Amino acid sequence: MLDAVLFADLVTELPSAVRLQRLVNTLRSHFGCGAVALLQLQQAQLKPVAVQGLLRETLGRRFQVAQHPRLAAILASRQPVRFPPGSELPDPYDGLLAEQPGAVVPVHDCMGVSLYVEGRCWGVLTLDALSPANFDALAVLQLQQLSLLVEAAIRITELEQANRALRQGGLPTVGTSTTAAQQYEIIGQSLALQQILQELDVVAGSELPVLLLGETGVGKELFARQLHRRSGRAERPMIYVNCAALPESLAESELFGHSKGAFSGALSERAGRFEAADGGTLFLDEVGELALSVQAKLLRVLQNGEIQRLGSDKLRRVNVRLVAATNRDLQQQVKQGEFRADLYHRLSVYPIPIPPLRERSEDLPLLAGHFLEQNRSRLGLRSLRLAPAAELALLGYHWPGNIRELEHVISRAAIKALSQGAQRSDIVILQPELLDLPGSQPQAPALEHIELPVQGLKQAVNQFQQQLIRQALQQHQQCWSKAARALQLDASNLHKLAQRLGLK
């Protein structure tokens, strides 16, 4: 019966994410376990691509194989591996199972199998349970048989992604990521983020200058690097220039280079950033900080593709894709005479606004999970996670410093937890007070304003949930996935809740 369900999904046209999510949902139901996760191997780390039964933040975590002996053991074997109750090897999901929210619950029984696609190791499939004797020898045998169908589903997904990329004129993404792509990965699944990434994929194939607009801390450099990776110049360098750190006296030399003796201290000839980026991409971060004198010379390069080293009469041609970023209102600067209008129009051929974190709150749990795993690894902790109240505090904060502020908040909270007595061998839970967020604590309504339900608390809660779900569906034209995003729920959890409440 299970084989038939999985095979039906293989031959049905489904979005890639939906097919893989249905896969893990079906496996969890069949094995009756607490959680199932599908993780893709990328260089030396495993990236969750579909999970069921784990906290949503898990999707933002990246598990370094060398730091997780159970995952390393699964990868090292071509046969399923079961870790019996009492295994001394730490489990990467301790404290992350969603079955008992808020509880510090270690995993008691788990097994996994490595997955291979066309002879290469693609990743692993893991199954975890709270019951000490959930998996037996028959379950291990079934996992080995079903892994073939899982590998087939992954291969079909990769082929669909490659075909879609080719139809759109982009680059296929089949296979493992490069180290640079991992280092500058953009974390999130919100609709706003997916729309920007799709727009970047389209404009990457052109040679148009791109201007990234957004507040400080939204990650404009990450989007610039994504644009470069998806362009035809990906094999050439991307050179980063922080315009705000360039003194006016040195800006021309840094950008265009100088000849020997051009100024005091110029002891040898030196190429500038434009020449270093020849054939690739030059990223001018905080371009609104450039002095007017440097702006004029930058405009000349954009007009004719020629540079002139400081102190030299020789013209040099460069082939550079220019990407700029700013947190300033350049149009306002143009009106005030602080930025050249002609340069602004050259740079903003294709402007892309990057939304602040408060406008993509759906991504916040994933980003938090990403930074939690980074700090767990950095501090040598067994497990690091957020208390439910702490996650609510993060969601209730307005994040003026955006993603960079979130990273610092979680790093600071993890260190505070250790300084207050948490042990590295524990499942460390970050409470709201450790986050130290001003005005982020939700205020409980005064008791005198609460009208006690006549029919009992449970029935009142059910009626309130029914009302919220109906309202969300009505606002989003009966689209369950959009309603789930509006309610900040996983779509599968919303379906289950609706079934329990009699709405489906």
Side-chain angles (χ1 to χ4, degrees):
M1 180 62 180
L2 177 63
D3 291 0
V5 173
L6 295 178
F7 183 76
D9 282 350
L10 291 182
V11 298
T12 304
E13 186 174 349
L14 294 170
S16 303
V18 173
R19 176 181 288 111
L20 297 181
Q21 188 61 51
R22 285 167 62 103
L23 178 71
V24 296
N25 294 353
T26 303
L27 290 173
R28 184 192 180 198
S29 176
H30 172 75
F31 285 99
C33 55
V36 175
L38 189 63
L39 302 98
Q40 183 177 10
L41 181 64
Q42 297 182 337
Q43 302 295 326
Q45 68 181 20
L46 284 163
K47 171 185 175 181
V49 295
V51 301
Q52 178 65 14
L54 295 171
L55 296 175
R56 180 168 170 75
E57 70 172 55
T58 309
L59 290 170
R61 293 179 181 251
R62 302 296 178 260
F63 299 99
Q64 296 294 328
V65 175
Q67 298 176 8
H68 293 284
R70 294 200 186 198
L71 296 176
I74 295 171
L75 281 170
S77 173
R78 293 298 294 264
Q79 304 296 321
V81 178
R82 177 176 179 255
F83 302 94
S87 172
E88 296 181 356
L89 298 179
D91 192 286
Y93 308 130
D94 278 351
L96 293 177
L97 268 71
E99 194 167 311
Q100 297 186 20
V104 183
V105 180
V107 177
H108 291 296
D109 198 5
C110 75
M111 62 178 179
V113 63
S114 59
L115 303 170
Y116 282 75
V117 176
E118 293 192 330
R120 60 181 171 86
C121 184
W122 182 90
V124 299
L125 176 71
T126 63
L127 297 89
D128 294 83
L130 296 175
S131 171
N134 196 87
F135 304 124
D136 54 16
L138 178 59
V140 174
L141 178 61
Q142 287 181 331
L143 179 61
Q144 182 175 9
Q145 296 170 342
L146 292 172
S147 66
L148 298 177
L149 286 174
V150 176
E151 291 169 348
I154 292 169
R155 181 56 182 150
I156 290 174
T157 296
E158 287 190 339
L159 290 173
E160 289 174 346
Q161 291 174 342
N163 289 335
R164 191 178 304 113
L166 290 173
R167 287 197 303 268
Q168 295 175 351
L171 298 175
T173 57
V174 176
T176 56
S177 300
T178 63
T179 302
Q182 293 176 41
Q183 183 180 359
Y184 300 107
E185 182 183 6
I186 299 174
I187 305 291
Q189 296 180 344
S190 66
L191 181 60
L193 178 61
Q194 296 308 312
Q195 288 174 340
I196 290 176
L197 293 178
Q198 184 177 356
E199 192 173 4
L200 282 177
D201 277 354
V202 174
V203 75
S206 72
E207 290 295 305
L208 296 177
V210 173
L211 179 62
L212 300 173
L213 306 168
E215 299 174 5
T216 298
V218 295
K220 294 185 288 294
E221 181 184 352
L222 298 184
F223 289 92
R225 293 188 180 277
Q226 173 77 1
L227 180 69
H228 175 68
R229 286 197 302 270
R230 302 295 293 158
S231 74
R233 298 171 177 262
E235 299 302 319
R236 302 293 296 169
M238 172 178 154
I239 304 300
Y240 172 87
V241 179
N242 183 359
C243 298
L246 283 180
E248 184 177 355
S249 58
L250 297 177
E252 185 177 354
S253 171
E254 283 293 317
L255 291 174
F256 312 120
H258 62 255
S259 58
K260 183 178 180 179
F263 52 86
S264 177
L267 303 179
S268 61
E269 193 160 342
R270 179 178 179 274
R273 304 294 181 89
F274 268 92
E275 287 182 78
D278 191 23
T281 303
L282 182 67
F283 176 48
L284 299 180
D285 197 10
E286 303 301 344
V287 70
E289 305 290 340
L290 283 177
L292 285 169
S293 59
V294 180
Q295 292 178 28
K297 295 173 181 176
L298 177 60
L299 177 64
R300 185 182 62 194
V301 179
L302 295 178
Q303 288 173 334
N304 54 32
E306 294 178 339
I307 63 167
Q308 192 173 351
R309 290 183 180 177
L310 189 63
S312 172
D313 296 329
K314 181 180 179 182
L315 294 175
R316 303 170 187 267
R317 292 201 63 82
V318 289
N319 176 15
V320 171
R321 168 76 173 284
L322 195 66
V323 178
T326 183
N327 61 0
R328 291 193 172 196
D329 185 343
L330 291 188
Q331 288 182 318
Q332 186 63 29
Q333 284 190 268
V334 169
K335 292 178 182 178
Q336 295 173 353
E338 299 174 354
F339 202 86
R340 293 180 62 104
D342 45 8
L343 178 59
Y344 168 72
H345 292 300
R346 284 278 182 175
L347 293 176
S348 62
V349 175
Y350 200 96
I352 299 181
I354 308 300
L357 181 56
R358 61 183 171 274
E359 293 181 8
R360 41 181 288 218
S361 58
E362 185 182 347
D363 292 334
L364 202 147
L366 276 69
L367 289 163
H370 182 73
F371 297 132
L372 286 166
E373 181 63 23
Q374 281 188 346
N375 282 277
R376 185 211 63 77
S377 173
R378 186 183 301 125
L379 298 174
L381 303 175
R382 170 189 169 189
S383 177
L384 180 66
R385 56 156 295 186
L386 293 170
E391 184 173 344
L392 287 176
L394 294 181
L395 291 169
Y397 186 56
H398 62 286
W399 298 108
N402 292 292
I403 299 173
R404 188 177 299 130
E405 184 182 9
L406 173 64
E407 179 181 8
H408 295 163
V409 163
I410 290 180
S411 298
R412 184 170 61 244
I415 294 175
K416 280 184 178 181
L418 283 178
S419 68
Q420 294 179 12
Q423 301 298 311
R424 285 179 165 83
S425 58
D426 294 339
I427 299 177
V428 180
I429 307 292
L430 300 182
Q431 300 297 335
E433 55 271 18
L434 292 174
L435 302 176
D436 195 23
L437 295 176
S440 65
Q441 299 300 320
Q443 298 296 320
L447 288 178
E448 59 267 25
H449 297 302
I450 298 179
E451 183 177 346
L452 295 177
V454 178
Q455 70 274 42
L457 179 61
K458 182 176 180 180
Q459 187 176 350
V461 170
N462 288 345
Q463 289 180 357
F464 183 62
Q465 290 178 326
Q466 289 172 344
Q467 181 181 350
L468 285 179
I469 294 174
R470 288 194 182 102
Q471 182 177 342
L473 287 171
Q474 184 177 1
Q475 290 176 350
H476 295 89
Q477 294 74 49
Q478 305 302 311
C479 178
W480 286 87
S481 59
K482 291 181 180 179
R485 283 194 292 268
L487 295 170
Q488 297 183 1
L489 288 175
D490 182 82
S492 61
N493 290 338
L494 176 59
H495 285 293
K496 291 178 182 177
L497 179 60
Q499 288 174 340
R500 184 178 67 80
L501 296 173
L503 296 177
K504 293 191 68 177

